[in-house]
Amino acid sequence: MMRQHTRLIGWLMALLAMAGFTALGLWQLQRMQAKQALLDAQGPAVAQALPLAQALAAQGALHGVADHGRFLPGVVLLDNQTRHGRAGVKIYRPFRSDAGSVLLVDLGWRALPPDRRLPVVPAPPSPVAVRGLLAPLPSSGLALGPAFTTTDVAGRWLASRLPADGLAAALGLPSLPERVLRLDPALPFGDERDLDLLPNTLPPQRHLGYAVQWFGLALTVLVVALVLEWRRRRPVAR
């Protein structure tokens, strides 16, 4: 009876482990598919630039944008952004098109000095023609602590993530969309930037590799459980 009880506990633990490893593998596959879909949509989006209002109203996560308008007061510095192995900030400013659409514009990345002194960001030309890629807000990761805080310069905010509703209120705007305009690197203003959609994150191939590892662990648990079961059932030699 005790041996049967131990066998059931062992199989239950094995099934739980296999279910957990399989779930992690499926999650990695979902991440791979989502990122690959984002990359696949980038080329067509950039090639078909729309006015900002049309891009915001269109279906899909990515759209190319070409429009004209002016930058509004306020600057948001997104902290903990690395590039070339150096720590820095991403610089965002609110922008209003001539047709009245408002959103945050990614003006690029700037390195921070060792003392982490925040940069003084000059205002970009305004009014100005802009073009780039309308993309989702940067991934927020773990939401620890306040999303953004004021700095020693009026109208400048230091952010750990970009919650659209909170930033709209801080910048004195009625609302902000859950997307940002990533400026074309060829435009002659702003800071260092590109249109890489997966900065500081894993590419789809790495997610596939992790998925294979998790599925391999689930298979390993199954094989070990079957071997132990076979040994238990094998007749004892006399």
Side-chain angles (χ1 to χ4, degrees), residues 17 20 57 78 114 122 125 158-159 171 189-190 202 204 216 223:
L78 182 61
L158 181 64
L171 295 168
F189 58 90
L202 299 176
V223 170

Side-chain angles (χ1 to χ4, degrees), residues 6-96:
T6 303
R7 173 172 169 267
L8 290 175
I9 293 177
W11 270 108
L12 178 60
M13 293 177 63
L15 290 172
L16 288 174
M18 286 187 290
F21 292 147
T22 301
L24 288 169
L26 291 173
W27 176 70
Q28 290 290 348
L29 285 181
Q30 290 171 355
R31 295 283 291 161
M32 178 200 74
Q33 293 166 354
K35 289 184 176 180
Q36 189 60 56
L38 201 63
L39 293 176
D40 291 343
Q42 181 174 3
V46 172
Q48 299 175 355
L50 301 172
L52 182 55
Q54 292 184 27
L56 287 170
Q59 297 289 333
L62 294 178
H63 295 284
V65 168
D67 212 326
H68 188 275
R70 64 178 60 249
F71 285 94
L72 304 176
V75 59
V76 180
L77 306 178
L78 182 61
D79 202 2
N80 300 317
Q81 303 298 299
T82 58
R83 190 176 175 91
H84 312 309
R86 300 179 63 190
V89 292
K90 275 276 193 83
I91 302 171
Y92 294 84
R93 282 187 179 272
F95 175 87
R96 176 182 285 120

Side-chain angles (χ1 to χ4, degrees), residues 191-214:
D191 286 76
E192 186 176 349
R193 61 186 183 269
D194 55 43
L195 294 181
D196 182 6
L197 293 174
L198 304 176
N200 305 323
T201 187
L202 299 176
Q205 296 80 3
R206 186 70 63 83
H207 286 290
L208 177 60
Y210 286 145
V212 171
Q213 290 179 13
W214 287 121

Side-chain angles (χ1 to χ4, degrees), residues 53-153:
Q54 292 184 27
L56 287 170
Q59 297 289 333
L62 294 178
H63 295 284
V65 168
D67 212 326
H68 188 275
R70 64 178 60 249
F71 285 94
L72 304 176
V75 59
V76 180
L77 306 178
L78 182 61
D79 202 2
N80 300 317
Q81 303 298 299
T82 58
R83 190 176 175 91
H84 312 309
R86 300 179 63 190
V89 292
K90 275 276 193 83
I91 302 171
Y92 294 84
R93 282 187 179 272
F95 175 87
R96 176 182 285 120
S97 70
D98 292 341
S101 298
V102 177
L103 86 168
L104 286 178
V105 171
D106 178 355
L107 287 165
W109 174 90
R110 187 178 299 188
L112 290 181
D115 62 1
R116 285 188 52 82
R117 185 175 66 255
L118 297 179
V120 176
V121 183
S126 192
V128 66
V130 297
R131 65 178 181 272
L133 187 65
L134 186 65
L137 285 170
S139 176
S140 60
L142 293 176
L144 300 176
F148 52 90
T149 56
T150 57
T151 68
D152 56 339
V153 175

